[in-house]
Amino acid sequence: VQLQESGPGLVKPSKTLSLTCTVSGGSMNGDYWSWIRQPPGKGLEWIGYIYYNGGTSYSPSLQSRVTLSVDTSKNQFFLRLNSVTTADTAIYYCARGGGWLSPTGYIWFDPWGKGTLVTVSS
Amino acid sequence: QSVLTQPPSVSGTPGQRVTMSCSGSRSNIGDYTVNWYQQVPGTAPKLLIFTNNQRPSGVPDRFSGSKSGTSASLAISGLLSEDEADYYCAAWDDGLNGWVFGGGTKLTVL
């Protein structure tokens, strides 16, 4: 399985950041899919996950601004982050995993996409 | 300030064994398994260790993980220059209801 992020590299403040993650080499069925971001020079921050059937979980710190969606027919899932500020400037990664699968537990992130840099600036 | 605490940096010479720690609390490491990711500068993170001590296919057995109580650690033996990277620990946190990461440890191979 390989993942590839795509979307605008520049977003204006107060607007909406929209990214797509395309999954190739396998089906999305039965798995969780996550978004994770990394501000330049800083650490990793989990944004949220979506189950293949559309169930979601979001980071409490971003929950009011984030929406994840999925289109399994196209093998894609999506991130929308509204009302962005310069603090949202980061490399955005998509990855498989993040949710709970019994009996294993919470599933690790693997594989990851290469990431896409999104800059918030006027 | 990250929920999981990692030392900012560690270093070692080729062939040496190094360890790095990841400290958390009952709501994360205490109740859930720990995963480790390796990030070579300029590239995406890569899964290194899952479920505390399991290595994905292709990860050399020079890398090992362990967990005790509310802390975890990553050990790298037979250090190679290619191991120079940032290493992140992660776990689910049921108090925050989300994944938490450590701030990362930068490994320098001298």
Side-chain angles (χ1 to χ4, degrees), chain B residues 49-73:
Chain B
I49 297 286
F50 65 96
T51 314
N52 302 329
N53 55 19
Q54 301 299 300
R55 285 186 310 277
S57 171
V59 173
D61 59 6
R62 300 186 297 105
F63 294 90
S64 62
S66 64
K67 174 186 139 175
S68 178
T70 60
S71 293
S73 65

Side-chain angles (χ1 to χ4, degrees), chain B:
Chain B
Q1 195 77 355
S2 301
V3 174
L4 303 181
T5 301
Q6 297 183 249
S9 63
V10 298
S11 62
T13 56
Q16 201 173 21
R17 180 179 185 270
V18 297
T19 62
M20 58 189 75
S21 61
C22 175
S23 177
S25 64
R26 186 213 59 78
S27 63
N28 41 67
I29 294 178
D31 278 352
Y32 298 97
T33 58
V34 177
N35 308 309
W36 290 88
Y37 301 91
Q38 178 193 56
Q39 186 176 33
V40 174
T43 69
K46 167 193 158 186
L47 179 67
L48 195 64
I49 297 286
F50 65 96
T51 314
N52 302 329
N53 55 19
Q54 301 299 300
R55 285 186 310 277
S57 171
V59 173
D61 59 6
R62 300 186 297 105
F63 294 90
S64 62
S66 64
K67 174 186 139 175
S68 178
T70 60
S71 293
S73 65
L74 174 70
I76 309 173
S77 60
L79 205 57
L80 300 174
S81 58
E82 66 200 49
D83 298 332
E84 194 161 276
D86 294 320
Y87 293 83
Y88 293 92
C89 58
W92 182 264
D93 189 302
D94 63 12
L96 297 174
N97 198 32
W99 283 93
V100 291
F101 288 91
T105 296
K106 181 177 183 61
L107 170 63
T108 301
V109 181
L110 302 170

Side-chain angles (χ1 to χ4, degrees), chain A residues 36 38 42-46 49 57-60 93 98-100 104 106-110 112-115, chain B residues 32-33 35 37 39 43-47 49-51 56 86 88 90 92 96-103:
Chain A
I36 298 152
Q38 184 173 36
K42 297 189 178 180
L44 300 167
E45 179 185 21
W46 175 71
Y49 68 65
S57 177
Y58 300 132
S59 165
Y93 297 100
W100 176 276
T104 305
Y106 282 98
I107 300 300
W108 47 92
F109 304 114
D110 180 59
W112 297 56
K114 292 182 179 180
Chain B
Y32 298 97
T33 58
N35 308 309
Y37 301 91
Q39 186 176 33
T43 69
K46 167 193 158 186
L47 179 67
I49 297 286
F50 65 96
T51 314
D86 294 320
Y88 293 92
W92 182 264
L96 297 174
N97 198 32
W99 283 93
V100 291
F101 288 91

Side-chain angles (χ1 to χ4, degrees), chain A:
Chain A
V1 171
Q2 293 184 317
L3 292 81
Q4 178 68 59
E5 306 87 351
S6 60
L10 180 65
V11 181
K12 295 186 185 303
S14 80
K15 300 301 186 183
T16 296
L17 180 162
S18 296
L19 294 176
T20 298
C21 182
T22 301
V23 179
S24 60
S27 168
M28 295 187 69
N29 291 339
D31 280 319
Y32 289 90
W33 304 90
S34 287
W35 288 96
I36 298 152
R37 69 181 183 179
Q38 184 173 36
K42 297 189 178 180
L44 300 167
E45 179 185 21
W46 175 71
I47 298 170
Y49 68 65
I50 186 164
Y51 197 34
Y52 76 101
N53 65 4
T56 56
S57 177
Y58 300 132
S59 165
S61 65
L62 296 171
Q63 186 165 9
S64 63
R65 299 193 292 130
V66 173
T67 303
L68 301 189
S69 57
V70 63
D71 185 342
T72 55
S73 68
K74 295 182 178 180
N75 259 25
Q76 294 178 326
F77 62 107
F78 311 94
L79 166 68
R80 284 175 58 88
L81 180 66
N82 57 36
S83 304
V84 298
T85 70
T86 55
D88 295 309
T89 294
I91 299 173
Y92 285 76
Y93 297 100
C94 58
R96 182 176 60 184
W100 176 276
L101 285 177
S102 183
T104 305
Y106 282 98
I107 300 300
W108 47 92
F109 304 114
D110 180 59
W112 297 56
K114 292 182 179 180
T116 187
L117 174 63
V118 178
T119 301
V120 178
S121 174
S122 55

